[in-house]
């Protein structure tokens, strides 16, 4: 499971070993969704701080809550055999109808709902709801509850952003084409999924028209 997220927390996108011990979060909490307690598709690799100190069993929705299947074999999707258990298409449809405030990184594209805002005075970068998102209000409340903008994470994002910006400034003035290409490759690598805060890197590289 850690390999699926490259060792990063599914919420704050920090490398888990730099923030706390790793943990397996129930995306939909057991207290509200008992039948998903052992559903692999309900597990997210996360840091202990996001999971235990912040999110806990917080899971607001704007639609109808997901319901259990009618028989034992239909209680959950099967993580290995998509033809077994609750049909995956039905599970996805129920997820969309439920309208959870916290995006599921396996079913949703969180970057469509998110933006990153630099605070130069505080030397932080905060994760915020995108003003282009139709779910902006819901996502904003979820971000606060999950603790993704706690001090140590926001400051680490800021440090990574400064490296991005410094490389971008050098790219703009470097006369040698080979050096410019090397810098472009360096920027693109920072946006690769295995790196911490890659979502933020992609956000700024899109804004700079580099990807």
């Amino acid at each position: 499971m850690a390999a699926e997220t490259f060792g990063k927390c599914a919420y704050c996108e920090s490398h888990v070993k730099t923030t706390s011990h790793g943990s397996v979060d129930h995306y939909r909490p057991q207290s509200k969704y008992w039948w998903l307690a052992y559903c692999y598709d309900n597990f997210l690799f996360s840091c202990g701080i996001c999971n235990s100190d912040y999110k806990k069993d917080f899971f607001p929705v704007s639609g109808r809550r997901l319901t259990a299947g009618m028989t034992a074999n239909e209680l959950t999707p099967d993580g290995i055999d998509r033809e077994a258990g609750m049909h995956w298409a039905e599970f996805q449809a129920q997820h969309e109808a439920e309208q959870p405030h916290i995006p599921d990184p396996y079913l949703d594209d969180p970057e469509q709902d998110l933006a990153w805002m630099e605070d130069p005075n505080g030397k932080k970068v905060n994760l915020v709801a995108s003003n282009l998102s139709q779910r902006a209000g819901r996502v904003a409340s979820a971000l606060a509850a999950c603790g993704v903008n706690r001090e140590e994470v926001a400051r680490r994002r800021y440090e990574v952003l400064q490296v991005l910006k410094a490389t971008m400034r050098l790219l703009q003035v470097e006369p040698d084409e080979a050096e410019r290409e090397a810098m472009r490759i360096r920027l693109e690598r920072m946006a690769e999924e295995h790196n911490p805060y890659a979502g933020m890197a992609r956000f700024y590289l899109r804004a700079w028209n580099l990807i």
Side-chain angles (χ1 to χ4, degrees), residues 91-105:
F91 186 73
Q92 288 178 302
Q94 286 199 27
H95 170 78
E96 292 172 5
E98 189 177 41
Q99 299 178 46
H101 294 200
I102 301 174
D104 183 334

Side-chain angles (χ1 to χ4, degrees), residues 14-110:
S14 302
H15 271 309
V16 166
K17 290 184 179 179
T18 66
T19 57
S20 72
H21 60 280
S23 67
V24 176
D25 177 50
H26 290 81
Y27 170 69
R28 289 180 169 84
Q30 299 178 72
S31 60
K32 298 181 176 72
Y33 303 84
W34 59 267
W35 63 95
L36 295 177
Y38 298 103
C39 175
Y40 186 84
D41 293 298
N42 192 47
F43 297 159
L44 292 179
F45 185 66
S46 66
C47 68
I49 298 176
C50 282
N51 184 7
S52 302
D53 294 354
Y54 285 93
K55 179 177 176 281
K56 301 178 182 178
D57 65 351
F58 176 80
F59 197 78
V61 301
S62 291
R64 179 182 177 183
R65 282 206 182 272
L66 195 71
T67 57
M70 297 300 293
T71 68
N73 288 336
E74 296 174 340
L75 284 174
T76 68
D78 189 302
I80 298 175
D81 182 359
R82 289 306 186 201
E83 298 303 316
M86 177 184 282
H87 287 295
W88 185 244
E90 180 183 349
F91 186 73
Q92 288 178 302
Q94 286 199 27
H95 170 78
E96 292 172 5
E98 189 177 41
Q99 299 178 46
H101 294 200
I102 301 174
D104 183 334
Y106 292 109
L107 294 174
D108 306 307
D109 179 2

